[in-house]
Amino acid sequence: MEKLVSLVRRCADDYHMLAPGDRVAVGLSGGKDSLALLALLAELRRYHPSRFGLQAVTIDMGLGMDYGPVAEFCRQLEVPYTRVETQIAPIIFEHRQEKNPCSMCAKMRRGALSQTLVELGCNKAALGHHFDDAVETFFLSLFYEGRISCFQPVTDLDRSGIVQIRPMLYISERALESFAQRQNLPVVHNPCPADKHTKRQEVKQLVAQLSAQYPALKERVFGAMQRLPLPQWAPQGRYRRPPSPMA
């Protein structure tokens, strides 16, 4: 855990993600990424100079998922936990029967999360995007939108006053999978009908194929985003070489 916590701190410090007085909410879906993020931030808060507060929030989409183990996990970490019940999934899949449900789902979840964070007095939302997510999003934007783009490490949501941060950008998906297994994180199975049938999954498979031929592909794309840089991707300090996918 120590190595991953150090990478979270390095990313948070490079992009000035944490400040004194912050109350940070982790959007806890029950997947390995968000659970790992909560565990790492819970450890980091013990000694980070900002002394930030931590809150966990689950937006229950109405898919019948059991979040009991997640609530117990939060209790063990001494992190307050809030679960918000919604009917997002029935609205999208039954009533609207969306052909491309992911975009609508993401917007509705973001709206519900932002409203909840305002009610809880949180000023920042920590999202579980990692190193591989950033590279795949870059290719998604390039292939399907014709843009050189990616989500930003820090995003200011003007309407709600919430700032989104992504502290795991220096950690690979492989490292998170290993961490989840070692720590026996209470991962909740996602029964979403669209899971694993998305453009993102297609790009993930393509990047994996290209990486087999060009082993340094991900590091070079990630480094290019920092060096060009894409908006807000330049580390605010001296340039730091991004981590290896094995990190």
Side-chain angles (χ1 to χ4, degrees):
M1 177 183 284
E2 183 178 348
K3 183 176 182 180
L4 297 189
V5 173
S6 70
L7 288 172
V8 167
R9 178 172 185 171
R10 190 176 111 183
C11 184
D13 290 348
D14 275 358
Y15 292 103
H16 297 179
M17 293 181 179
L18 299 171
D22 279 348
R23 183 167 175 78
V24 181
V26 175
L28 206 57
S29 67
K32 71 178 189 317
D33 298 337
S34 61
L35 289 168
L37 175 59
L38 182 65
L40 297 173
L41 286 177
E43 181 66 16
L44 180 61
R45 70 176 170 174
R46 295 175 53 237
Y47 57 83
H48 194 272
S50 67
R51 301 296 181 185
F52 62 93
L54 198 56
Q55 167 82 41
V57 177
T58 292
I59 303 301
D60 188 334
M61 294 173 53
L63 288 167
M65 299 164 68
D66 178 13
Y67 289 102
V70 172
E72 174 60 21
F73 180 64
C74 293
R75 188 192 68 77
Q76 294 173 3
L77 294 176
E78 299 182 348
V79 175
Y81 176 65
T82 299
R83 180 174 68 89
V84 180
E85 296 185 12
T86 75
Q87 291 297 306
I88 293 175
I91 290 171
I92 289 175
F93 293 108
E94 297 174 17
H95 301 297
R96 297 177 62 97
Q97 298 184 2
E98 292 283 339
K99 294 182 180 180
N100 298 298
C102 296
S103 177
M104 176 67 70
C105 178
K107 289 179 181 178
M108 295 179 73
R109 283 189 289 113
R110 281 198 300 268
L113 180 62
S114 294
Q115 180 179 342
T116 303
L117 266 53
V118 170
E119 294 171 355
L120 292 172
C122 298
N123 66 311
K124 289 186 177 174
L127 306 181
H129 297 110
H130 48 66
F131 180 88
D132 296 75
D133 286 331
V135 174
E136 290 157 10
T137 299
F138 174 87
F139 282 114
L140 272 169
S141 296
L142 181 63
F143 293 162
Y144 295 105
E145 300 176 2
R147 295 190 301 140
I148 304 296
S149 180
C150 184
F151 52 67
Q152 297 175 343
V154 177
T155 307
D156 191 351
L157 304 180
D158 294 332
R159 292 184 180 180
S160 64
I162 302 295
V163 176
Q164 290 182 344
I165 61 175
R166 295 174 168 89
M168 295 201 303
L169 293 178
Y170 291 171
I171 303 177
S172 71
E173 184 170 25
R174 183 178 298 182
L176 290 172
E177 289 172 347
S178 177
F179 177 75
Q181 293 175 1
R182 293 196 311 271
Q183 298 294 320
N184 195 28
L185 298 183
V187 176
V188 180
H189 171 67
N190 182 5
C192 175
D195 191 38
K196 307 299 184 184
H197 297 87
T198 63
K199 295 296 184 185
R200 177 171 291 276
Q201 185 64 26
E202 291 179 10
V203 169
K204 178 185 288 289
Q205 293 170 355
L206 176 60
V207 171
Q209 293 169 6
L210 290 172
S211 296
Q213 185 173 359
Y214 307 102
L217 174 72
K218 293 179 184 178
E219 296 102 307
R220 287 172 178 167
V221 170
F222 193 95
M225 289 194 290
Q226 290 186 311
R227 289 190 298 269
L228 284 173
L230 290 182
Q232 294 192 20
W233 267 90
Q236 298 171 25
R238 71 183 182 87
Y239 171 71
R240 296 174 182 262
R241 193 166 70 89
S244 162
M246 293 297 292

